[in-house]
Amino acid sequence: MNRITLFLLAMLVWLASPAAQAQKLNYPKTAQVKHIDNYFGTDVADPYRWLEVSDSAAVKDWIKEQNKVTFEYLAQIPFRENLKQRLTQIWNYPKVGAPFKRGDYYYFYKNDGLQNQSILYRQKTLGGEAEAFLDPNT
């Protein structure tokens, strides 16, 4: 059995343990509003519409409280850091997508390993110098 399987098995055992099950998580209250959209004559209630305004103070406060509960829980998993290190090691390798041509340029996606998003590169010829065209990480 490889290490990652052992980590995942240990996590499942821990999550199923009486100690983990007995822990009560106190999530913040999520407000509901009276909002109804009408789609082609059908009313559809959307009591959580206020959460779609992600830059509002209320949503930012709600997210902060949700994260507090979540990260306090996750911090109690004894092998969490080891699992994170192993997954980082496994996922940290360069990834390059297949090139495609649009107009006068060839394009391809490349991720150096741990970038959140792949960068779109372009080059004039297949053997030419690649330049970053669109970097969603910046």
Side-chain angles (χ1 to χ4, degrees), residues 14-138:
W14 185 80
L15 290 172
S17 71
Q21 295 296 321
Q23 182 180 14
K24 174 124 173 66
L25 299 176
N26 294 314
Y27 287 102
K29 187 85 171 153
T30 304
Q32 295 186 30
V33 296
K34 291 188 184 241
H35 181 92
I36 297 175
D37 289 312
N38 186 287
Y39 297 105
F40 308 102
T42 301
D43 287 341
V44 178
D46 189 358
Y48 302 107
R49 174 60 63 97
W50 68 275
L51 286 169
E52 294 182 17
V53 185
S54 60
D55 58 346
S56 75
V59 172
K60 287 179 181 179
D61 290 343
W62 182 84
I63 291 170
K64 188 189 323 183
E65 291 301 313
Q66 288 282 336
N67 283 340
K68 182 178 179 225
V69 171
T70 300
F71 290 113
E72 284 175 0
Y73 176 80
L74 292 175
Q76 296 176 24
I77 299 173
F79 50 86
R80 181 171 185 237
E81 188 56 36
N82 290 340
L83 181 60
K84 179 182 176 186
Q85 289 175 5
R86 180 64 178 136
L87 289 174
T88 299
Q89 181 184 31
I90 290 170
W91 291 330
N92 188 11
Y93 65 92
K95 301 154 196 79
V96 180
F100 57 94
K101 187 170 186 181
R102 294 289 185 272
D104 294 334
Y105 288 92
Y106 290 93
Y107 295 87
F108 65 94
Y109 289 95
K110 181 179 176 187
N111 188 308
D112 291 335
L114 295 177
Q115 293 171 299
N116 286 333
Q117 303 292 325
S118 295
I119 298 172
L120 179 62
Y121 288 87
R122 74 177 185 177
Q123 56 196 57
K124 202 69 161 153
T125 64
L126 285 175
E129 181 78 24
E131 65 177 325
F133 183 69
L134 180 63
D135 185 352
N137 300 300
T138 57

